[in-house]
């Protein structure tokens, strides 16, 4: 099975900061990658699919790139609502895998 | 407005069974790739199963042979039949469409305990 490794596991940042979260696949997954934001007690929210396509309604400060094995999620200027846990997700394979998550905390 | 609403969770003893339902509105289950994802208390997301629009099904190794995904077009509902439940199956279970749809339910809690 393909493994998805996210880094960092925890990230402390301030409002206005630019942050980057990385997801690495153990083998090439083309562009079958999504990014989610999850807040405590809530369902995950899709931010990005197909590695770089912004889901409708998601603010443009979120962007993502990558293909093959290396992927990044960038938040250009953190807002208070962005402090949450973020997951990458390799999908559409019948052996889907999530990254372990990145908790974005207020510094 | 699209809604996915899960139900059927609850407390069950080890070895028992439950059937989860996910009723869709504003969205046709049978025309879409649908998945079940779970999240154990305090843990990350874990993919459980999927069903393609054509009907093919896939399962995570941890549930293969015990869980079964299905759908009912007339009810526009997705199901997850869970048998031989174990303590490690305790989690919130979410149904979701493909990431391109962005649709997720609110989740239903399954607790496996004696």
């Amino acid at each position: 099975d393909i493994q998805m490794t996210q880094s960092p596991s925890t990230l402390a940042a301030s409002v206005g900061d630019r942050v980057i979260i990385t997801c690495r696949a153990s083998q090439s997954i083309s562009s079958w990658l999504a990014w989610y934001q999850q807040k405590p007690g809530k369902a995950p929210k899709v931010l990005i699919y197909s590695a770089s396509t912004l889901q409708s309604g998601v603010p443009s400060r979120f962007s993502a790139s990558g293909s093959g094995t290396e992927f990044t999620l960038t938040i250009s200027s953190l807002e208070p609502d962005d402090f949450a846990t973020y997951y990458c997700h390799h999908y559409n394979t019948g052996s889907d895998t999530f990254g372990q998550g990145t908790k974005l905390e207020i510094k | 407005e699209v809604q996915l609403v899960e139900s059927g969770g609850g407390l069950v003893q080890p070895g028992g069974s439950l059937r989860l339902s996910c009723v869709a509105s504003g969205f046709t289950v049978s025309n879409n790739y649908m998945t079940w994802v779970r999240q154990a208390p305090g843990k990350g997301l874990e993919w459980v199963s999927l069903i393609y629009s054509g009907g093919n099904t896939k399962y995570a190794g941890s549930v293969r042979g015990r869980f079964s995904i299905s759908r009912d077009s007339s009810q526009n509902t997705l199901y997850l039949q869970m048998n031989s439940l174990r303590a490690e199956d305790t989690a919130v279970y979410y149904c979701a469409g493909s990431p391109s749809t962005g649709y997720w339910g609110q989740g239903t809690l399954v607790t496996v305990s004696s």
Side-chain angles (χ1 to χ4, degrees), chain B residues 10-47:
Chain B
L11 175 63
V12 61
Q13 292 189 338
S17 297
L18 278 177
R19 188 177 79 157
L20 306 183
S21 300
C22 170
V23 178
S25 56
F27 177 74
T28 303
V29 166
S30 60
N31 289 349
N32 286 275
Y33 154 127
M34 299 294 296
T35 69
W36 287 98
V37 174
R38 68 185 181 184
Q39 187 168 36
K43 302 297 184 182
L45 300 171
E46 180 187 14
W47 173 74

Side-chain angles (χ1 to χ4, degrees), chain B residues 20-95:
Chain B
L20 306 183
S21 300
C22 170
V23 178
S25 56
F27 177 74
T28 303
V29 166
S30 60
N31 289 349
N32 286 275
Y33 154 127
M34 299 294 296
T35 69
W36 287 98
V37 174
R38 68 185 181 184
Q39 187 168 36
K43 302 297 184 182
L45 300 171
E46 180 187 14
W47 173 74
V48 173
S49 181
L50 70 82
I51 184 166
Y52 290 102
S53 57
N56 284 351
T57 60
K58 300 288 185 182
Y59 300 92
S62 58
V63 307
R64 191 175 297 122
R66 300 188 298 124
F67 290 12
S68 178
I69 190 172
S70 62
R71 65 193 181 199
D72 183 333
S73 300
S74 66
Q75 300 294 319
N76 204 25
T77 299
L78 179 73
Y79 299 102
L80 186 68
Q81 177 67 44
M82 305 187 297
N83 299 329
S84 303
L85 282 161
R86 306 166 179 167
E88 55 265 36
D89 296 318
T90 294
V92 174
Y93 285 72
Y94 297 99
C95 67

